[in-house]
Amino acid sequence: MQEDRRLAVLRAIVEDYVATEEPVGSKALVERHHLNVSPATIRNDMAALEDEGYLAQPHTSAGRVPTDKGYRLFVDRLSTVKPTSAAERRAIASFLDGAVDLDDVVHRSVRVLAQLTRQVAVVQYPSLSHSTVRHVEIVALAPARLLLVLILSSGRVEQRLIELDSDLAEADLAALRSRVNLAATGAVIADAAAALTALIHPETGGAAPSAATVSVVDTLVDAMSDHRSDERVVVGGTANLARFGDNFDTSVRPLLEALEEQVVLLKLLGEATIGGAVTVRIGAEGPYEELASTSVVATGYGPDDALASLGIVGPTRMDYPGTMAAVRAVARYMSRILDES
Amino acid sequence: MQEDRRLAVLRAIVEDYVATEEPVGSKALVERHHLNVSPATIRNDMAALEDEGYLAQPHTSAGRVPTDKGYRLFVDRLSTVKPTSAAERRAIASFLDGAVDLDDVVHRSVRVLAQLTRQVAVVQYPSLSHSTVRHVEIVALAPARLLLVLILSSGRVEQRLIELDSDLAEADLAALRSRVNLAATGAVIADAAAALTALIHPETGGAAPSAATVSVVDTLVDAMSDHRSDERVVVGGTANLARFGDNFDTSVRPLLEALEEQVVLLKLLGEATIGGAVTVRIGAEGPYEELASTSVVATGYGPDDALASLGIVGPTRMDYPGTMAAVRAVARYMSRILDES
DNA sequence: GTTGGCACTCCAGTTCAGCGAGTGCCAATG
DNA sequence: CATTGGCACTCGCTGAACTGGAGTGCCAAC
């Protein structure tokens, strides 16, 4: 019985603190939420919650503030999933439906996510490793100079320029082109790379591959395993940082620094790709000390939610239910769009 | 004689203010710079400079601060061009030389520029309109489904997918491919678009073009005139905003907002593409009221410095000579790299 | 277990005086 | 006429002292 009320108190404190940005005291609490008990009772509960580590006092004789542990409990057990509002769904739809290509989808997503959550939004580009090869084109710019164009299902295009030691006849080029496409087209990146490699290392000892073939295949395999381009992320909504101009040094500065470090961002997002659900990292739960006062709400998108991740970064004091709903909604819509195209 | 000294005083004030971030007084000035006159004399000069609008006082009985007009005079007439240091050149070279493709060049440039200037750096992608067509590839993914790949000299690749009403024979495809390339390859975008259009509107009334030809040409011309992709910019170094955490509302917030608005950024940079030199917009000189307390230092890059622009955005109180040198150095290096590849 | 009462704590905001950097003006000087 | 030293004045900044109020913790009563 008291246990139930305690949780209700914790929930109320989280909600009030998120809304007001100020430590919440016992009296204000009984007024705003109609708990049918006296402030003194609440005080006892608050003291207990503080003992258990869910609350903290900025200083003696101020109200209580949730700790990371408090937020965690709130997110895990107390928050009711806020359904995305019709207005939000409409915003997402009208924003994303106008997108013309992959770049555009990613950029629009980051914008709409930043707008909905009023936080800094981060969207990772679809990773190479989950794409399939749509087509490989080999163009002779000059007799000994080839342009390789690798077109992937996610809409991404990679190009490489190579010089050959000797000229390549048009007929040979055509043959090479069709062999390469036969091996790679339609396959997942990893398989395509393997199939291509097999072309120049034939188990069944056929004719030795030509120098041009080796060169082309090497370059393509290299482009396919170039994980550098996996590391691309787009950031948006940094203007939202302006909302919490105080706490500059504790909140904004480390966040800005982290945003510059794409590697960190990718790690943060990466954790989220695992399950299908929306992941929440609160405060110091992660390994990044500088981000102790920020939370990350992220999820995967694309088929099986495994193509790449998107999410937001914000202060631990944030509207978790709303943010989680927005992140999930954008991810779903994005998956759908990518699936259609 | 006094005129000379007045300018020296202005220069000294700008330099000191930039270095110390504090209003500079007459006494401190004679001490730091060895002007061989008394503080009282300087005071007279300062009063005169204030009358002419080059200086201002934050409040009575504080030191002087340069006005926008003061900075303008400083930039135009008083600053000696700081030659890029060897260390800077080395930093730029080692940073940019590792770049593998266009995206990479742009991203690396923005990083190195942000690092050198310790400001927010902005680099615009090479504009379509100044590129030439390197190659057009037409691939039949299916008999009635074509993939068009447009490869530009700047390293950019555009792709379009089209469906035909009827199947296209391999021979016809080859013919079309060679006609299109004959018309477009090597030409500047605008010319290429015109030449392609001519293919389907033959003045000398030849045979009417096939439906496939019309479709392909239309799509290519459309891709060439797609100025949306001209509007891409990359921003870096926002973490440098942390350095001036005070003035949050006057400096940081509007800047963050401007950075989100790519259109504004492009306009700011756009002004710079005109001459070959480094352009400086100081404070309220531009039409953007919110950016009244920021300056933009930018220049063009690429052949004739006309391919696109890059630059930095920072507080009016900045090291103009150093910043201008860095911007110019990065632009030059970038031009060179793009030229080579 | 809940409640009202009460003493206590401590932040936040305000007032006020003193300090010091800096100015403007003036009269004197070369 | 430019320069200089002197001097009174301004004004923001700093720190101390004070106060109001919100909030707590504890205790005794129900």
Side-chain angles (χ1 to χ4, degrees), chain B residues 113 117 119-122 269 295-298 310-314 318 323 327:
Chain B
L113 191 54
T117 61
Q119 306 284 4
V120 176
V122 185
L269 287 183
S295 289
V296 177
V297 179
L310 59 80
I312 64 94
V313 187
M318 79 164 73
T323 306
V327 167

Side-chain angles (χ1 to χ4, degrees), chain B residues 8-19 22 24-25 29 33 42 46 49 55 64-66:
Chain B
V9 168
L10 179 57
R11 176 198 279 117
I13 289 178
V14 170
E15 286 171 356
D16 274 24
Y17 182 59
V18 165
E22 271 165 15
V24 15
L29 209 58
H33 308 260
I42 300 297
M46 282 160 98
L49 285 167
L55 294 179
R64 299 304 210 291
V65 160

Side-chain angles (χ1 to χ4, degrees), chain A residues 11-309:
Chain A
R11 176 199 280 118
I13 288 178
V14 170
E15 286 171 356
D16 274 23
Y17 182 60
V18 165
T20 65
E21 196 153 350
E22 270 165 16
V24 12
S26 53
K27 197 176 160 194
L29 209 59
V30 287
E31 281 168 7
R32 287 181 48 111
H33 308 260
H34 32 292
L35 313 166
N36 299 315
V37 289
S38 79
T41 311
I42 301 297
R43 279 207 287 281
N44 291 332
D45 292 339
M46 282 159 96
L49 285 167
E50 185 168 0
D51 282 345
E52 296 167 47
Y54 297 114
L55 295 179
Q57 282 180 294
H59 28 257
T60 332
S61 96
R64 299 305 209 291
V65 160
T67 60
D68 289 357
K69 193 177 168 193
Y71 284 123
R72 167 56 56 200
L73 185 62
F74 175 81
V75 167
D76 289 346
R77 297 194 35 209
L78 300 178
S79 64
T80 52
V81 193
K82 206 182 281 183
T84 344
S85 77
E88 280 179 330
R89 279 200 307 277
R90 234 179 299 124
I92 298 173
S94 70
F95 227 91
L96 292 193
D97 279 341
V100 302
D101 66 5
L102 178 68
D103 270 1
D104 212 21
V105 171
V106 171
H107 280 91
R108 281 165 186 256
S109 296
V110 85
R111 282 189 79 135
V112 77
L113 191 53
Q115 218 167 74
L116 288 178
T117 61
R118 317 235 314 140
Q119 306 284 4
V120 176
V122 185
V123 177
Q124 182 185 9
Y125 265 82
S127 82
L128 271 186
S129 38
H130 292 89
S131 305
T132 59
V133 175
R134 183 181 277 171
H135 187 80
V136 179
E137 190 51 53
I138 309 178
V139 180
L141 297 177
R145 197 168 190 208
L146 301 185
L147 177 70
L148 308 182
V149 182
L150 176 62
I151 297 149
L152 304 179
S153 60
S154 62
R156 200 186 264 193
V157 181
E158 294 281 323
Q159 50 145 346
R160 291 289 189 283
L161 208 57
I162 59 174
E163 307 276 346
L164 300 180
D165 291 334
S166 59
D167 292 2
L168 189 64
E170 178 60 37
D172 292 338
L173 177 64
L176 180 54
R177 181 186 297 131
S178 72
R179 281 179 66 208
V180 165
N181 270 292
L182 195 63
T185 304
V188 166
I189 287 284
D191 296 345
L196 286 174
T197 311
L199 285 183
I200 57 173
H201 294 124
E203 302 282 323
T204 59
S210 72
T213 308
V214 172
S215 180
V216 166
V217 167
D218 275 352
T219 309
L220 284 175
V221 170
D222 180 61
M224 288 175 179
S225 51
D226 183 358
H227 285 279
R228 180 188 52 78
S229 44
D230 257 19
E231 294 176 356
R232 289 188 55 198
V233 287
V234 178
V235 176
T238 39
N240 289 330
L241 290 176
R243 278 189 306 130
F244 42 121
D246 35 359
N247 318 67
F248 192 95
D249 281 324
T250 62
S251 306
V252 182
R253 180 198 303 269
L255 191 42
L256 279 174
E257 277 160 11
L259 292 177
E260 294 272 316
E261 271 309 318
Q262 308 221 326
V263 188
V264 174
L265 274 186
L266 284 163
K267 282 232 173 130
L268 285 177
L269 286 183
E271 300 165 5
T273 328
I274 301 171
V278 176
T279 306
V280 181
R281 186 193 64 75
I282 295 170
E285 287 178 359
Y288 309 100
E289 293 186 12
E290 323 80 33
L291 297 181
S293 59
T294 61
S295 289
V296 177
V297 178
T299 191
Y301 68 86
D304 298 327
D305 292 335
L307 188 57
S309 305

